[in-house]
Amino acid sequence: MSILKIAVQKSGRLSEKSLQLLADCGIKISNGERRLKAVSPNFPIEVLFLRDDDIPQYVEEGVADAGMLGENEVWEKDKNVTVIKKLGFASCRLSLAVPKDANYAGPQYFSGKKVATSYPVILQKFFDQNNLDTAIETISGSVEIAPAIGLADGIFDIVSTGSTLQINGLKEVEVVTKSEAVLISNPNLSAEKQQILDKLLFRIQSVKNAAENKYILLNAPDKAIPEIIKILPGMKSPTVLPLAEAGWSSIHSVIREDAFWDIIDQLKALGAEGILVTNVEKMIL
């Protein structure tokens, strides 16, 4: 029986989120002893725990069939892999930053200067697109200290909240690109492994659908049902059940979480009462 080998980051928040996603998909993985690989007892996959910047190469070479990692590492390593799914977590931006007292007026600021980064490939593309003659100092580890020690005039790095930049006396001036966790695969999977990957993708999509939607229940006067249905279409149409009190019904539907607060006032204006909103564990369309 074929087993799909999937690489995830061996530690850190992205690793935790990746393993949580597999758990939400009903896939059991145990790595309690910090092993470098673990086989699921209830789904045909083997998880390899690797450095995130090594994952594209391992997937390209077929050591791993698929991988979960930040899309920024996919761009930086530029390997022959296929991005097949954005996973919706580990969102960040890759930005240029300069000393907070610098007089920054646009990308031309970097012309003739030096920028320190761990992502020289992504950064060079940005400088090329803007016709900037800028030197890139490639370093690993914490790049925020580079301007303070005179190694560079600015930095290019991952930014989440910006607090690390502030602590080091820097300010974010250009968002070059945005990144999030993605699922990649080797473009030449066997038919058996592709079938396993498709099953995994189905489960991931069901989990993502559930995370993006809420189940809503409410009571409303029967005369308001046509208008309520217009704003609560559900997956196909809402479920409407009569209540014991004549002239009233219970309406059950599914709505996108980001739309709920925009329509709650409309529902109340139409006479809706007893509105309950709950999480959806899985959602299969």
Side-chain angles (χ1 to χ4, degrees):
M1 179 180 178
S2 293
I3 292 181
L4 186 77
K5 295 182 179 181
I6 181 167
V8 303
Q9 187 173 326
K10 63 182 179 181
S11 61
R13 288 194 62 192
L14 198 151
S15 175
E16 295 170 2
K17 291 282 190 179
S18 298
L19 293 176
Q20 184 60 55
L21 176 58
L22 293 176
D24 292 342
C25 290
I27 300 172
K28 297 178 181 179
I29 297 293
S30 176
N31 189 38
E33 299 175 358
R34 294 288 182 179
R35 292 172 293 178
L36 295 180
K37 64 179 181 178
V39 177
S40 170
N42 67 338
F43 193 81
I45 69 168
E46 179 180 64
V47 176
L48 308 178
F49 297 95
L50 306 171
R51 283 173 51 98
D52 58 344
D53 53 357
D54 288 336
I55 292 176
Q57 179 178 344
Y58 280 116
V59 173
E60 179 187 56
E61 295 177 353
V63 176
D65 303 304
M68 292 181 179
L69 72 165
E71 194 168 15
N72 54 291
E73 293 294 349
V74 180
W75 298 326
E76 182 62 28
K77 300 307 178 184
D78 197 23
K79 300 296 184 180
N80 182 27
V81 298
T82 303
V83 175
I84 55 177
K85 187 75 176 176
K86 291 182 180 293
L87 298 177
F89 58 84
S91 296
C92 64
R93 54 195 185 273
L94 280 81
S95 298
L96 284 157
V98 299
K100 61 182 180 181
D101 57 354
N103 184 18
Y104 184 82
Q108 286 299 321
Y109 171 89
F110 294 102
S111 183
K113 290 184 170 61
K114 183 187 292 185
V115 176
T117 186
S118 299
Y119 300 96
V121 173
I122 298 173
L123 182 57
Q124 188 62 61
K125 288 182 180 178
F126 173 80
F127 287 149
D128 290 344
Q129 290 168 357
N130 287 274
N131 298 313
L132 297 176
D133 180 19
T134 306
I136 296 177
E137 183 74 28
T138 303
I139 60 176
S140 59
S142 300
V143 301
E144 294 87 357
I145 196 174
I149 63 176
L151 181 63
D153 303 293
I155 70 165
F156 174 66
D157 202 13
I158 289 176
V159 178
S160 294
T161 65
S163 59
T164 302
L165 295 179
Q166 293 178 11
I167 291 172
N168 287 278
L170 302 173
K171 62 181 179 182
E172 183 179 8
V173 293
E174 290 286 339
V175 177
V176 173
T177 188
K178 295 182 179 180
S179 173
E180 66 178 272
V182 294
L183 177 64
I184 64 172
S185 74
N186 183 288
N188 300 306
L189 294 182
S190 66
E192 294 82 1
K193 291 188 175 185
Q194 184 63 53
Q195 187 175 33
I196 298 171
L197 181 59
D198 290 343
K199 290 180 180 179
L200 176 60
L201 282 168
F202 175 79
R203 294 192 184 194
I204 290 174
Q205 188 58 52
S206 297
V207 170
K208 283 177 61 64
N209 289 340
E212 294 169 356
N213 291 273
K214 297 292 184 181
Y215 191 77
I216 184 170
L217 305 86
L218 57 89
N219 298 329
D222 289 347
K223 63 182 180 181
I225 290 176
E227 289 302 314
I228 290 177
I229 287 176
K230 289 180 182 179
I231 59 176
L232 283 181
M235 289 184 289
K236 192 167 187 180
S237 66
T239 298
V240 180
L241 301 172
L243 295 179
E245 182 178 342
W248 283 78
S249 293
S250 175
I251 301 175
H252 300 212
S253 189
V254 173
I255 61 171
R256 289 189 60 84
E257 182 176 22
D258 56 9
F260 173 74
W261 294 110
D262 292 334
I263 66 173
I264 187 66
D265 290 336
Q266 298 178 56
L267 293 174
K268 291 172 65 177
L270 289 169
E273 299 178 356
I275 301 172
L276 300 176
V277 181
T278 65
N279 292 329
V280 179
E281 184 175 340
K282 303 290 186 297
M283 184 173 173
I284 300 170
L285 300 178

